[in-house]
Amino acid sequence: MERSNENDDTQDHSVATGNIEEQNSDVTLTSMKQINGNTSDKTNHKEPLDNHSPKEESDTDNGEVDDSTDNTDSEEDDDDDNEEPPLLKYSRITALPANFFQRDSISTCLFHEKAFFFGTHSGLLYVTKPDFSPIATLKCHRSSLFSISVDTHGLYFATGSIDGTVSIGALEAPTQITVFDFKRPINAVVLDDDYKNSKTFVSGGMAGDVILSQRNWLGNRMDVTLNKSDKNHGPILAIYKLNDVLIWMNNDEITFSDIPTRSKLLAIPFYDEDNPKMLGNGTEDNLLPELFKPHITFPENDRIIIGWRDRVWLFKISSLSNTVPRRTKDDIHINDNNNFGSLLSSAASSFRGIPDKNVIMEKHFRLPILIAGLESFKDDQLICLGFEVTDSDEVTFKALPPELKLFDLTEEAPIEIYNDEVASKNYERLSLNDYHLGKFINIEKNLPPEYYLISTTDAIRIQELQLKDHFQWYLARSRYLQAWKISKYVVDVVEQLKVGLQYLNQLIISGDWEKVYTMTPQILNLDQLQEKEKMTKENSILKNGWNDILDSILKSGNIDSIVDNIPSDPLLENGIYDNILEYYLSSSKLLQFLTYIEKWSSQELFSIEHFEKVLENKIEESSIGEKQNYYRRAVVLLYLHQERYSKAIPHMITLHDEEIFNILNSQNLLSQFSDQVIDILMIPYYYAETNRPHKYHSIEDMPLDYIESIFTKSIELITINRKRISVKKLIEKFQEHTDLTKLLFLILKKLSIADPSLTIPFEDQLVELYTNYERNGLLNFLKTKSNYNIDEAIRICSTVPGLSNELIYLWGRIGETKKALSLIIDELNDPKLAIEFVKSWGDTELWDFMISYSWNKPVFIKALLESTDNFGETHLEVIKGMSNDIEIEGLHSTLDKILRENTLNLKVNNRIYKIVDDETISSAAELLKLRDLGKCFDVDEESDREETYF
């Protein structure tokens, strides 16, 4: 160890590092609030801590045992339901040496991001890592340590002691310590930010001086007093540094000094000017400031909060705009890093620069407690450790645990928003200055801040409750709904499901079925299973959970409220769906049964074959009626899903289900049900009759177009399946139902168009059916078909009035043209039709028959005279055969027209003859000329003979 005294002579000594028993785990405090068995009424938070002392518990994996693991009664009253988790949780630190709390006691501590430092009243300094694993135990002083400081980089540390010395060492070599003796008790020490290079520090104590110390070029210590004008204000109680602002407190005031310029920025007196001798509770102030340690925290890089006794000051450091410090030639060596080296070098100069910053007091208020420690909290909040202000002169506060209060500083006056009484070990023997409150932020791991309450007998970690803590807190109090709501943020899917099931069971036990129906789908929701390929365990819990919950709901008889939310992907156990369907079936809730049979069959969520058998038995046992129809519809759905169409069709026939047509067409199954073809074809009729009552008494009373509109699917069914069903058998089936002849006609008519070969054997029947039901289509049928019996057709047409055209066609077809012509003339009295009929046959004999048959019929005579004379003698024969006394309207004009046409024809013919004659003469003359020409022959030895004409 190296010791430096005021005469600047030094000596080296070594101090061995003591062996410390390592205890690296924490023990959570099961309770932190206790006042002689009674909780304080001043607690503002909603969750008072349990009323018993903290106990040592076994170490856990993370070094803590959460107080939310306490067993609580599952039956909560209304107050418990409204109760919220506490803001803070507490855990005892057991990793520090046991002798600190038994033979020795902690007098001061410091929490740096690289190391923690604990000083004791015996002069020991215990250094640990942030996880409390030991680094070194050093004997730095002969008596109590009052101050610890670390440079910005965490490379060097300094301690000040009541023995009047300052010890400085490096963490890399903690046993190599340099000691500086100031002969007076040291209350505060602060290292320069760049101590490694500057070897500068500031200290102060009972002497009342703020001393800047540095080694000169000879290696001797050089001291400069920074507060010469303030030496009469009592001892220096604390010294702090924020960037290039030095802060110290003495008995009367708080002083801010600018390091580069050695200028005093601000001095705040301790006592209020208006009421200097009154405590916060209005009692006479007999408590001197020097009896209390000042406390400071830096919430931001430009803000300072100081707590001292019952008073709090908020300061802000701001830069002076457009101001540049003026320096003389003697100041050019001032360090730009704003460290103490610049302050020391400036001490030798008679000129000072102008500071470029300003310190402003933003707020000053008094708290209802005497402060034992304070630190910044989040969102402009301040956490304070202390004791209530009383009118007693006694400041030991023995037999009382300290209070941990949280204040909101956003308003004009601080608002207390949280309060705990923290009962550390043997707190009955401790006074206010025996407590220390520190803050640590793990920058590397980006963890929330931790707070440490250190006393001479105990060490406690204070943490803000995180979501996982809230989760465990709710679980411990059987408040499963709140636990479930935040579970997705803190636990895996399995734990989420377990907590949700606990809540649902809680609702079931309490009989709150409405919430059960509402919450079950939300809690047992498959969307939370994010990786379906890894959800074996989750799915097992989910299935069992659904099964248990639904069993309870089924027993309550209110499954309807939740059944729509039962998941189907991934599949739950079949038994879950089976139970629901069994419930609906046994309860005769057939509409619901049918609904979910249809909904779930497509996904095969239940035992389909089992319900097929059950439904078939139900159909046999039940009488015809609506209930039986429900059973049939359900079993049809199951058969169709399994593509067992042959099983479904008989039930569909009974149900008059029109879907049967799609199945028969797509699956080619009509031939299997040919015996039931009439029942199948009649399904649309029954369906239409059910949905819109007919205005006709029977099918035979209906018009054909109306029948066709109703039986469209039936007619298409036969047409599509014409190769799979015998037309003969079809007709035989219809013959058993004489009231369906019109439908048969429409079917045969459609078949004769789609495939004429199928109806060839039945054309005679079609002739009769056309005659009975569609006479306007008979003639076309007779003209387009050729396999019917003509004689029978003639007979049928002869017996039915109004079928003259059909008879004319039939007579003409068998060569009885004269009979046909006579029918036209006598029955139809249609001269134009008669003339066209004769022309269509091209028979001159039939033409002569028509002329002779028409001599006594003026209408026919006029029509013949006006018609074209294709045979050249028609008009002449008609005129010759006319009787002299016959009267024909317009005969004169008709004959005149005939004469003009004949004359014109004669002229045209003569001209044509002349043209033909002229062309004949020309062609004959050219032929004769060619015949009179000779021929020349040229004989070539190597070629064929070549003819030449001349």
Side-chain angles (χ1 to χ4, degrees), residues 847-876:
W847 188 262
D848 293 339
F849 175 78
M850 182 182 67
I851 294 173
S852 62
Y853 199 77
S854 303
W855 276 338
N856 60 345
K857 297 177 176 60
V859 177
F860 279 85
I861 292 174
K862 183 178 180 180
L864 288 170
L865 291 175
E866 291 179 349
S867 66
T868 304
D869 188 359
N870 294 328
F871 297 98
E873 298 179 354
T874 300
H875 295 159
L876 181 60

Side-chain angles (χ1 to χ4, degrees), residues 653 661 664-665 668-682 713-734 743-744 747-748 750-752 754-755 757-759 761-762:
I653 294 173
F661 294 104
L664 291 172
N665 289 333
N668 303 325
L669 294 175
L670 183 60
S671 59
Q672 296 182 26
F673 299 94
S674 58
D675 291 337
Q676 297 171 278
V677 66
I678 299 299
D679 294 331
I680 295 172
L681 296 176
M682 288 299 294
K713 292 184 178 180
S714 301
I715 297 171
E716 289 180 352
L717 176 68
I718 300 300
T719 305
I720 293 172
N721 294 276
R722 58 185 178 272
K723 299 295 186 181
R724 300 180 182 87
I725 188 170
S726 168
V727 178
K728 180 180 179 181
K729 187 173 182 179
L730 178 66
I731 294 174
E732 290 174 354
K733 290 293 182 181
F734 270 98
L743 177 59
L744 174 62
I747 292 174
L748 292 177
K750 188 74 172 181
L751 287 175
S752 67
D755 193 346
S757 63
L758 294 176
T759 57
F762 312 104

Side-chain angles (χ1 to χ4, degrees), residues 821 824 829-839 850 859-860 863-864 866-867:
L821 184 58
I824 294 173
N829 193 27
D830 189 346
K832 289 184 179 181
L833 179 61
I835 293 171
E836 290 177 0
F837 179 79
V838 172
K839 287 180 179 181
M850 182 182 67
V859 177
F860 279 85
L864 288 170
E866 291 179 349
S867 66

